[in-house]
Structure formats: structure tokens, C-alpha cells
Amino acid sequence: MLFFRKRAEMPSAADALPGRATPLPTAERHFINGNPLKGPYPPGIETIVLGLGCFWGAERKFWQLPEGVFVTAVGYAAGFTPNPTYEEVCSGLTGHNEVVLVAYDPAVLPLESLLKTFFESHDPTQGYRQGNDTGTQYRSGIYTMSEAQAATAHAVRESYGRALAEQGYGAITTEIAPLEAFYFAEDYHQQYLAKNPAGYCGLGGTGVSCPVGLGAGTAAA
């Protein structure tokens, strides 16, 4: 049962599964709001890709925000295998992370506020796991589309790291990197917990507030 073994380390590019040239079939529209999953998105909408554990529960954290999110979608990023399947990602042999693409309006929902939800929705100090979910696909990650997004992500991570340290937590393991590719997950994974309200969600935050905004520096110092 190769695909259900959990690896404790990232594979190399040479060891990764070969994948395929054709994208996996997925949903056309968001199950909840009907917006196009793959776009086109309206003018002014920006995207960012976030990994914070099992993507079923992670996606729900963002579609439940009261305003500013145009669409969410789950998929795979930050690995080597092109167009991987869910089973391949779970094998640990693709290098991918289970992630959520969030298309948002920064005029309504500033990136700092979005990242506050991201950090407070999981424990970003756990390395290759979230709670009982273990494997490289459950690592904490922020995959950015611009230098401005990256700068904000680094600032918020640093601020939250100080807040966590004050409460006795270890160092944040959240990786921040430019997004190289995002592969949409299979149809049945999209908005999974809206389709299956009693479905599994293993996410749990630390209970430590993530300071953002003008007071972040002093609040976390």
C-alpha cells in the first residue's frame, strides 16, 4: 500500500513520482457561492495559496469569512510532481502540500487580516503535521504571488512568532515561498465540508491571538 505510507521527510525531485501532463478534472464553480473556481476573477481580486493542515477544514476557514473572499479552492502546491492525485500526495512522494487557494479583494479584506485567520486556525509550530495528521502534506506554508505579499507574510509570521514565544511555543515552521504551480484537487475535495457537514476536520489553533495592524509591533514585543 505505497500510497498510504507517511514519510517524515521531503522527497528529492529525482525521487518524486512522475505525475502526468493532463490536469485532473475538477469542479467548474464554487459549491457555495457559484463563482468560477478557476476564474476569470473580477478586476482587483488577488490570490494567495495557504497550507495549514488537511485542506477540507482549512478551506472552510476562508469561505466562512464574512466578506472579501470571492472564491476558495483546494489543491496541491510546493512539490515536484505535475498534476498529482490525492493518493499520490498522501504518499509523501510528490513533495506537495495540501493547500487552499484564496481569491480575495484586498480593498475589503487586507492580506494581514487574511493571514491572521490563517495563523489562528492552526498550530504553525508543528513541522510536518497538524494534530493527529502527520506527513509532509500537512506542513504550514504561505505561497505568494508578489513581493508585496511575501513582505506582508514575513512581517505577520514574525509578529505571530513573538506572540507564540511569549506563551511558551516553539519556533514557527511556516514556509514562505513564491508560488510555482497550483494544481486543483479532484472535484469531490472542493468545498468538501459544505457537501459533507459531518466530515472530518482535524484543525485546531493555539488559542494565541495573531497581532496585525498598526499595533502589531508593540502588542507582540
Side-chain angles (χ1 to χ4, degrees), residues 19-107:
R20 56 203 48 78
T22 305
L24 301 176
T26 194
E28 293 295 324
R29 294 190 172 273
H30 198 275
F31 181 76
I32 299 169
N33 63 25
N35 289 337
L37 216 63
K38 296 183 177 182
Y41 305 137
I45 295 295
E46 297 185 6
T47 59
I48 194 164
V49 171
L50 305 169
L52 56 155
C54 175
F55 56 16
W56 292 346
E59 185 185 16
R60 181 170 62 180
K61 296 290 185 181
F62 300 104
W63 86 54
Q64 287 182 334
L65 290 175
E67 57 182 1
V69 173
F70 179 76
V71 80
T72 58
V74 296
Y76 315 113
F80 305 109
T81 301
N83 299 299
T85 67
Y86 178 69
E87 289 78 11
E88 289 171 343
V89 170
C90 287
S91 75
L93 295 172
T94 72
H96 285 295
N97 198 356
E98 289 189 21
V99 294
V100 182
L101 180 147
V102 183
Y104 67 101
D105 183 349

Side-chain angles (χ1 to χ4, degrees), residues 126-138:
Q126 292 190 323
Y128 293 150
R129 63 182 290 240
Q130 275 302 306
N132 293 326
D133 294 329
T134 61
T136 56
Q137 77 270 30
Y138 300 121

Side-chain angles (χ1 to χ4, degrees), residues 128-221:
Y128 293 150
R129 63 182 290 240
Q130 275 302 306
N132 293 326
D133 294 329
T134 61
T136 56
Q137 77 270 30
Y138 300 121
R139 65 193 186 269
S140 180
I142 302 171
Y143 308 105
T144 60
M145 305 294 288
S146 68
E147 291 184 2
Q149 283 189 347
T152 298
H154 280 283
V156 176
R157 183 180 66 178
E158 181 179 352
S159 178
Y160 197 43
R162 292 194 297 266
L164 287 173
E166 288 182 353
Q167 300 301 318
Y169 283 87
I172 284 182
T173 59
T174 305
E175 62 187 17
I176 300 173
L179 180 70
E180 295 185 358
F182 173 81
Y183 301 103
F184 284 87
E186 298 87 335
D187 189 350
Y188 76 97
H189 290 298
Q190 303 298 339
Q191 299 83 61
Y192 181 86
L193 291 182
K195 302 169 186 174
N196 303 275
Y200 171 77
C201 176
L203 290 189
T206 62
V208 178
S209 178
C210 178
V212 297
L214 295 178
T218 55

